[in-house]
Amino acid sequence: IIVDSTVAAQVPRSDVIDNANIRGGDVIVALSSSGRATYEEGYNSGIGSNGLTAARHDTFKHSLAKEFPESFDPMMAEELVYSGKVG
């Protein structure tokens, strides 16, 4: 397990799971990144460090952007805001 690095891999395009391939019943697996590192003064929720933002935008329908405008950066490219099919 690598816990202090970013890892990249090269895979065939046909093996990439993108928005077009997400289906009901698929499972998202994530590891908690919450807690408090020795150099931090307080608790760190880890919400921005483990891909939850990307997962949310890749999963949910664009219509949620109008319902929850506070849930994303307004400077984000329009085509990336909630570009999935769920919701």
Side-chain angles (χ1 to χ4, degrees):
I1 295 177
I2 299 172
V3 296
D4 65 347
S5 304
T6 298
V7 178
Q10 185 174 353
V11 297
R13 186 170 295 277
S14 60
D15 291 342
V16 173
I17 299 171
D18 63 11
N19 292 347
N21 297 319
I22 296 173
R23 302 283 186 262
D26 285 352
V27 176
I28 296 173
V29 176
L31 300 174
S32 173
S33 62
S34 60
R36 184 174 151 202
T38 56
Y39 56 83
E40 294 177 308
E41 293 183 21
Y43 175 80
N44 174 357
S45 72
I47 194 83
S49 63
N50 63 7
L52 290 177
T53 299
R56 185 173 63 246
H57 283 282
D58 291 344
T59 303
F60 295 118
K61 285 184 178 181
H62 186 72
S63 61
L64 293 176
K66 288 186 172 49
E67 189 174 347
F68 302 102
E70 73 282 1
S71 66
F72 63 93
D73 182 346
M75 300 300 290
M76 190 172 176
E78 179 75 15
E79 67 273 9
L80 298 177
V81 177
Y82 298 121
S83 57
K85 298 176 182 178
V86 177

